[in-house]
Amino acid sequence: MGIYIIADEMDHSPEQATEEKRYLLQMQAGDETAFKMLYNKHSKTIYYKILMLVKVEDTADELTQQLFVKIWQKRQLLDPSQGFLLYSLKMAGNLVFDFYRKIARDQQLLQEIMERSLEVYSPIEEGIYFKESRQLILQAVDQLPPQQKKVFTLCRLEGKSYEEVSEILGISVATVSNHLQQASRKVKNRMESWDKATIVLLMTWLMIHS
């Protein structure tokens, strides 16, 4: 199992496609210069794709470097007709998934990620990623007291500001903040009762959608 990172739509001229295929063939033959050319061309794009998932610059940079080491080590397995970026993003998705699996074995890091996920939770866009995890977070929210549920839903799920929620519910900004803190704590506590594999998937889903 892994995470599928979607490549952006890009227009390549026949000349560019031919040039990249030449670099790929040269890299497969052990040409380090060709490898550096591909690194310089695609590493920034890949880095930002990974950063979208892990949210930490140092981690994204480390995973990007790991990725290119693996690409060089497995260069003979690369299919030049598939395209370098598509191949690289597939490998990057596997690295990110492994990263989240390792988090499950680190209790302190897992706790930090759980807390961070609630802080940066943003409006949910429908997609193909981790629908079961979305359902789990919604079930946790559904267990909240009515007012906390309203505040959490408006702030975290719909992305409204404290001021907007204050006007909608007719309560002070300070009260909104207090309800949100209590709600976030209760959701986090409920998450702690889930098994680690579920948490890994949930954290990945939250990071993708934040």
Side-chain angles (χ1 to χ4, degrees):
M1 184 178 182
I3 297 172
Y4 185 69
I5 303 179
I6 301 174
D8 296 327
E9 293 290 336
M10 294 182 294
D11 294 326
H12 290 297
S13 67
E15 293 78 11
Q16 289 176 318
T18 300
E19 180 183 54
E20 180 158 302
K21 186 174 182 178
R22 183 173 70 251
Y23 287 144
L24 289 173
L25 292 171
Q26 291 171 346
M27 183 183 72
Q28 285 184 315
D31 189 331
E32 293 185 14
T33 300
F35 173 70
K36 290 178 181 177
M37 293 293 291
L38 291 167
Y39 175 88
N40 291 336
K41 181 178 180 181
H42 296 295
S43 61
K44 184 174 292 186
T45 297
I46 293 169
Y47 165 80
Y48 283 113
K49 290 286 187 180
I50 294 175
L51 182 61
M52 289 173 61
L53 299 179
V54 300
K55 298 299 181 184
V56 179
E57 293 182 355
D58 288 346
T59 300
D61 183 65
E62 181 180 348
L63 291 176
T64 301
Q65 299 309 313
Q66 288 181 22
L67 171 66
F68 278 92
V69 169
K70 285 182 176 291
I71 288 173
W72 175 254
Q73 293 172 340
K74 298 183 178 183
R75 61 189 181 278
Q76 293 181 342
L77 301 178
L78 197 154
D79 180 1
S81 65
Q82 184 180 14
F84 181 80
L85 185 59
L86 183 61
Y87 175 82
S88 300
L89 292 178
K90 182 177 180 180
M91 289 186 65
N94 291 333
L95 282 177
V96 171
F97 185 78
D98 288 341
F99 166 75
Y100 279 106
R101 285 200 304 178
K102 290 177 183 177
I103 284 178
R105 297 194 292 268
D106 186 329
Q107 290 295 324
Q108 181 177 352
L109 183 56
L110 180 59
Q111 182 72 15
E112 292 175 1
I113 293 293
M114 289 171 67
E115 293 175 354
R116 177 176 171 80
S117 70
L118 291 173
E119 292 172 0
V120 301
Y121 202 91
S122 68
I124 300 171
E125 63 180 51
E126 293 300 327
I128 61 173
Y129 295 109
F130 303 98
K131 291 184 179 180
E132 291 182 2
S133 295
R134 176 181 184 273
Q135 188 60 36
L136 284 172
I137 195 75
L138 293 178
Q139 287 176 5
V141 172
D142 197 49
Q143 300 298 315
L144 296 171
Q147 194 75 333
Q148 291 179 17
K149 178 180 177 181
K150 291 177 183 178
V151 170
F152 191 94
T153 299
L154 290 169
C155 288
R156 296 297 190 223
L157 305 185
E158 298 182 13
K160 297 185 184 300
S161 68
Y162 284 16
E163 290 76 12
E164 289 175 319
V165 176
S166 173
E167 292 182 6
I168 292 171
L169 298 181
I171 57 179
S172 69
V173 171
T175 301
V176 170
S177 177
N178 183 54
H179 280 314
L180 185 59
Q181 289 178 18
Q182 293 183 45
S184 296
R185 189 180 306 114
K186 290 176 181 178
V187 171
K188 178 174 70 65
N189 289 340
R190 183 166 177 79
M191 288 163 60
E192 288 175 346
S193 69
W194 299 336
D195 64 89
K196 291 180 180 179
T198 298
I199 293 174
V200 170
L201 290 177
L202 176 60
M203 291 305 103
T204 307
W205 187 87
L206 289 174
M207 291 306 179
I208 290 171
H209 290 83
S210 61

PDB file of all heavy atoms in Angstrom, residues 2-19:
ATOM      1  N   GLY A   2       0.412   2.300  -0.632  1.00  0.00           N
ATOM      2  CA  GLY A   2       1.163   3.545  -0.649  1.00  0.00           C
ATOM      3  C   GLY A   2       0.236   4.714  -0.840  1.00  0.00           C
ATOM      4  O   GLY A   2      -0.973   4.586  -0.786  1.00  0.00           O
ATOM      5  N   ILE A   3       0.839   5.886  -1.066  1.00  0.00           N
ATOM      6  CA  ILE A   3       0.084   7.106  -1.320  1.00  0.00           C
ATOM      7  C   ILE A   3       0.345   7.523  -2.751  1.00  0.00           C
ATOM      8  O   ILE A   3       1.492   7.605  -3.185  1.00  0.00           O
ATOM      9  CB  ILE A   3       0.510   8.221  -0.360  1.00  0.00           C
ATOM     10  CG1 ILE A   3       0.198   7.801   1.076  1.00  0.00           C
ATOM     11  CG2 ILE A   3      -0.183   9.528  -0.684  1.00  0.00           C
ATOM     12  CD1 ILE A   3       0.754   8.741   2.105  1.00  0.00           C
ATOM     13  N   TYR A   4      -0.711   7.789  -3.473  1.00  0.00           N
ATOM     14  CA  TYR A   4      -0.555   8.191  -4.870  1.00  0.00           C
ATOM     15  C   TYR A   4      -0.522   9.702  -4.952  1.00  0.00           C
ATOM     16  O   TYR A   4      -1.472  10.381  -4.576  1.00  0.00           O
ATOM     17  CB  TYR A   4      -1.699   7.647  -5.710  1.00  0.00           C
ATOM     18  CG  TYR A   4      -1.545   7.929  -7.185  1.00  0.00           C
ATOM     19  CD1 TYR A   4      -0.557   7.297  -7.927  1.00  0.00           C
ATOM     20  CD2 TYR A   4      -2.373   8.853  -7.829  1.00  0.00           C
ATOM     21  CE1 TYR A   4      -0.404   7.552  -9.272  1.00  0.00           C
ATOM     22  CE2 TYR A   4      -2.219   9.110  -9.170  1.00  0.00           C
ATOM     23  CZ  TYR A   4      -1.244   8.459  -9.889  1.00  0.00           C
ATOM     24  OH  TYR A   4      -1.094   8.722 -11.214  1.00  0.00           O
ATOM     25  N   ILE A   5       0.605  10.237  -5.421  1.00  0.00           N
ATOM     26  CA  ILE A   5       0.760  11.670  -5.589  1.00  0.00           C
ATOM     27  C   ILE A   5       0.472  12.014  -7.039  1.00  0.00           C
ATOM     28  O   ILE A   5       1.096  11.467  -7.954  1.00  0.00           O
ATOM     29  CB  ILE A   5       2.181  12.134  -5.218  1.00  0.00           C
ATOM     30  CG1 ILE A   5       2.502  11.718  -3.780  1.00  0.00           C
ATOM     31  CG2 ILE A   5       2.313  13.634  -5.376  1.00  0.00           C
ATOM     32  CD1 ILE A   5       3.892  12.105  -3.338  1.00  0.00           C
ATOM     33  N   ILE A   6      -0.486  12.899  -7.250  1.00  0.00           N
ATOM     34  CA  ILE A   6      -0.918  13.228  -8.596  1.00  0.00           C
ATOM     35  C   ILE A   6       0.004  14.262  -9.223  1.00  0.00           C
ATOM     36  O   ILE A   6       0.280  15.301  -8.627  1.00  0.00           O
ATOM     37  CB  ILE A   6      -2.355  13.754  -8.590  1.00  0.00           C
ATOM     38  CG1 ILE A   6      -3.285  12.681  -7.988  1.00  0.00           C
ATOM     39  CG2 ILE A   6      -2.819  14.131  -9.991  1.00  0.00           C
ATOM     40  CD1 ILE A   6      -4.702  13.148  -7.800  1.00  0.00           C
ATOM     41  N   ALA A   7       0.460  13.990 -10.409  1.00  0.00           N
ATOM     42  CA  ALA A   7       1.303  14.941 -11.129  1.00  0.00           C
ATOM     43  C   ALA A   7       0.435  16.008 -11.767  1.00  0.00           C
ATOM     44  O   ALA A   7      -0.676  15.738 -12.213  1.00  0.00           O
ATOM     45  CB  ALA A   7       2.115  14.216 -12.203  1.00  0.00           C
ATOM     46  N   ASP A   8       0.927  17.224 -11.788  1.00  0.00           N
ATOM     47  CA  ASP A   8       0.206  18.298 -12.451  1.00  0.00           C
ATOM     48  C   ASP A   8       0.212  18.080 -13.951  1.00  0.00           C
ATOM     49  O   ASP A   8       1.114  17.471 -14.520  1.00  0.00           O
ATOM     50  CB  ASP A   8       0.873  19.650 -12.157  1.00  0.00           C
ATOM     51  CG  ASP A   8       0.813  19.985 -10.678  1.00  0.00           C
ATOM     52  OD1 ASP A   8      -0.176  19.610 -10.030  1.00  0.00           O
ATOM     53  OD2 ASP A   8       1.762  20.621 -10.189  1.00  0.00           O
ATOM     54  N   GLU A   9      -0.821  18.600 -14.592  1.00  0.00           N
ATOM     55  CA  GLU A   9      -0.866  18.544 -16.041  1.00  0.00           C
ATOM     56  C   GLU A   9       0.207  19.477 -16.615  1.00  0.00           C
ATOM     57  O   GLU A   9       0.280  20.643 -16.283  1.00  0.00           O
ATOM     58  CB  GLU A   9      -2.235  18.993 -16.554  1.00  0.00           C
ATOM     59  CG  GLU A   9      -3.364  18.045 -16.187  1.00  0.00           C
ATOM     60  CD  GLU A   9      -3.288  16.736 -16.930  1.00  0.00           C
ATOM     61  OE1 GLU A   9      -2.668  16.740 -18.012  1.00  0.00           O
ATOM     62  OE2 GLU A   9      -3.817  15.729 -16.437  1.00  0.00           O
ATOM     63  N   MET A  10       1.065  18.944 -17.471  1.00  0.00           N
ATOM     64  CA  MET A  10       2.134  19.742 -18.045  1.00  0.00           C
ATOM     65  C   MET A  10       2.245  19.449 -19.535  1.00  0.00           C
ATOM     66  O   MET A  10       2.098  18.304 -19.970  1.00  0.00           O
ATOM     67  CB  MET A  10       3.475  19.441 -17.367  1.00  0.00           C
ATOM     68  CG  MET A  10       3.521  19.874 -15.903  1.00  0.00           C
ATOM     69  SD  MET A  10       5.134  19.546 -15.170  1.00  0.00           S
ATOM     70  CE  MET A  10       5.153  17.762 -15.230  1.00  0.00           C
ATOM     71  N   ASP A  11       2.504  20.480 -20.284  1.00  0.00           N
ATOM     72  CA  ASP A  11       2.689  20.322 -21.722  1.00  0.00           C
ATOM     73  C   ASP A  11       4.166  20.163 -22.025  1.00  0.00           C
ATOM     74  O   ASP A  11       4.984  21.011 -21.660  1.00  0.00           O
ATOM     75  CB  ASP A  11       2.143  21.550 -22.456  1.00  0.00           C
ATOM     76  CG  ASP A  11       0.637  21.681 -22.314  1.00  0.00           C
ATOM     77  OD1 ASP A  11      -0.011  20.620 -22.264  1.00  0.00           O
ATOM     78  OD2 ASP A  11       0.141  22.820 -22.246  1.00  0.00           O
ATOM     79  N   HIS A  12       4.521  19.062 -22.678  1.00  0.00           N
ATOM     80  CA  HIS A  12       5.889  18.824 -23.067  1.00  0.00           C
ATOM     81  C   HIS A  12       5.960  18.794 -24.592  1.00  0.00           C
ATOM     82  O   HIS A  12       5.197  18.083 -25.242  1.00  0.00           O
ATOM     83  CB  HIS A  12       6.395  17.491 -22.513  1.00  0.00           C
ATOM     84  CG  HIS A  12       6.569  17.503 -21.027  1.00  0.00           C
ATOM     85  ND1 HIS A  12       7.462  18.314 -20.390  1.00  0.00           N
ATOM     86  CD2 HIS A  12       5.941  16.791 -20.048  1.00  0.00           C
ATOM     87  CE1 HIS A  12       7.398  18.105 -19.081  1.00  0.00           C
ATOM     88  NE2 HIS A  12       6.477  17.198 -18.858  1.00  0.00           N
ATOM     89  N   SER A  13       6.893  19.532 -25.138  1.00  0.00           N
ATOM     90  CA  SER A  13       7.088  19.484 -26.583  1.00  0.00           C
ATOM     91  C   SER A  13       7.763  18.176 -26.935  1.00  0.00           C
ATOM     92  O   SER A  13       8.397  17.534 -26.087  1.00  0.00           O
ATOM     93  CB  SER A  13       7.972  20.658 -27.019  1.00  0.00           C
ATOM     94  OG  SER A  13       9.280  20.496 -26.507  1.00  0.00           O
ATOM     95  N   PRO A  14       7.648  17.745 -28.176  1.00  0.00           N
ATOM     96  CA  PRO A  14       8.338  16.513 -28.591  1.00  0.00           C
ATOM     97  C   PRO A  14       9.837  16.589 -28.334  1.00  0.00           C
ATOM     98  O   PRO A  14      10.461  15.588 -27.977  1.00  0.00           O
ATOM     99  CB  PRO A  14       8.018  16.438 -30.091  1.00  0.00           C
ATOM    100  CG  PRO A  14       6.719  17.173 -30.228  1.00  0.00           C
ATOM    101  CD  PRO A  14       6.802  18.290 -29.247  1.00  0.00           C
ATOM    102  N   GLU A  15      10.389  17.787 -28.499  1.00  0.00           N
ATOM    103  CA  GLU A  15      11.826  17.949 -28.265  1.00  0.00           C
ATOM    104  C   GLU A  15      12.175  17.718 -26.802  1.00  0.00           C
ATOM    105  O   GLU A  15      13.178  17.060 -26.486  1.00  0.00           O
ATOM    106  CB  GLU A  15      12.279  19.352 -28.693  1.00  0.00           C
ATOM    107  CG  GLU A  15      12.207  19.621 -30.182  1.00  0.00           C
ATOM    108  CD  GLU A  15      10.795  19.926 -30.660  1.00  0.00           C
ATOM    109  OE1 GLU A  15       9.906  20.136 -29.777  1.00  0.00           O
ATOM    110  OE2 GLU A  15      10.570  19.935 -31.873  1.00  0.00           O
ATOM    111  N   GLN A  16      11.338  18.264 -25.893  1.00  0.00           N
ATOM    112  CA  GLN A  16      11.590  18.079 -24.467  1.00  0.00           C
ATOM    113  C   GLN A  16      11.450  16.617 -24.069  1.00  0.00           C
ATOM    114  O   GLN A  16      12.236  16.106 -23.270  1.00  0.00           O
ATOM    115  CB  GLN A  16      10.616  18.935 -23.657  1.00  0.00           C
ATOM    116  CG  GLN A  16      10.889  20.433 -23.729  1.00  0.00           C
ATOM    117  CD  GLN A  16       9.841  21.236 -22.990  1.00  0.00           C
ATOM    118  OE1 GLN A  16       8.644  20.948 -23.076  1.00  0.00           O
ATOM    119  NE2 GLN A  16      10.276  22.247 -22.266  1.00  0.00           N
ATOM    120  N   ALA A  17      10.425  15.951 -24.608  1.00  0.00           N
ATOM    121  CA  ALA A  17      10.216  14.542 -24.290  1.00  0.00           C
ATOM    122  C   ALA A  17      11.392  13.699 -24.782  1.00  0.00           C
ATOM    123  O   ALA A  17      11.855  12.788 -24.086  1.00  0.00           O
ATOM    124  CB  ALA A  17       8.917  14.051 -24.926  1.00  0.00           C
ATOM    125  N   THR A  18      11.876  14.022 -25.955  1.00  0.00           N
ATOM    126  CA  THR A  18      13.013  13.287 -26.511  1.00  0.00           C
ATOM    127  C   THR A  18      14.263  13.516 -25.676  1.00  0.00           C
ATOM    128  O   THR A  18      15.027  12.586 -25.391  1.00  0.00           O
ATOM    129  CB  THR A  18      13.269  13.724 -27.962  1.00  0.00           C
ATOM    130  OG1 THR A  18      12.112  13.448 -28.752  1.00  0.00           O
ATOM    131  CG2 THR A  18      14.468  12.983 -28.541  1.00  0.00           C
ATOM    132  N   GLU A  19      14.464  14.769 -25.264  1.00  0.00           N
ATOM    133  CA  GLU A  19      15.629  15.103 -24.456  1.00  0.00           C
ATOM    134  C   GLU A  19      15.587  14.373 -23.121  1.00  0.00           C
ATOM    135  O   GLU A  19      16.596  13.818 -22.670  1.00  0.00           O
ATOM    136  CB  GLU A  19      15.688  16.611 -24.228  1.00  0.00           C
ATOM    137  CG  GLU A  19      16.883  17.053 -23.397  1.00  0.00           C
ATOM    138  CD  GLU A  19      16.862  18.550 -23.125  1.00  0.00           C
ATOM    139  OE1 GLU A  19      15.832  19.041 -22.615  1.00  0.00           O
ATOM    140  OE2 GLU A  19      17.870  19.206 -23.418  1.00  0.00           O
TER     141      GLU A  19
END
